[in-house]
Coordinates of all heavy atoms in Angstrom, one line a residue:
Chain A
F30 N 45.9 -20.6 23.5 CA 44.9 -20.9 22.4 C 45.1 -22.4 22.0 O 46.2 -22.8 21.8 CB 45.1 -20.0 21.2 CG 44.6 -18.6 21.5 CD1 45.3 -17.5 21.0 CD2 43.4 -18.3 22.2 CE1 44.9 -16.2 21.2 CE2 43.0 -17.0 22.4 CZ 43.8 -16.0 21.9
S40 N 31.8 -12.7 -1.0 CA 31.1 -11.4 -0.9 C 29.7 -11.6 -0.5 O 29.0 -12.4 -1.1 CB 31.3 -10.7 -2.2 OG 30.7 -9.4 -2.2
L46 N 33.5 -22.4 7.6 CA 34.7 -23.0 8.1 C 35.3 -23.9 7.0 O 34.6 -24.7 6.4 CB 34.3 -23.9 9.3 CG 35.5 -24.6 10.0 CD1 36.4 -23.6 10.6 CD2 35.0 -25.6 11.0
D58 N 43.2 -31.2 3.4 CA 41.8 -31.6 3.0 C 41.7 -31.2 1.5 O 41.5 -30.0 1.2 CB 40.8 -30.8 3.8 CG 39.4 -31.2 3.5 OD1 39.2 -32.0 2.6 OD2 38.4 -30.6 4.0
L74 N 47.8 -21.3 5.9 CA 46.9 -22.0 5.0 C 47.5 -22.0 3.6 O 47.9 -20.9 3.1 CB 45.5 -21.3 4.9 CG 44.5 -22.0 4.0 CD1 44.1 -23.3 4.5 CD2 43.3 -21.1 3.8

Side-chain angles (χ1 to χ4, degrees):
Chain A
F30 289 138
S40 180
L46 182 67
D58 184 2
L74 178 71

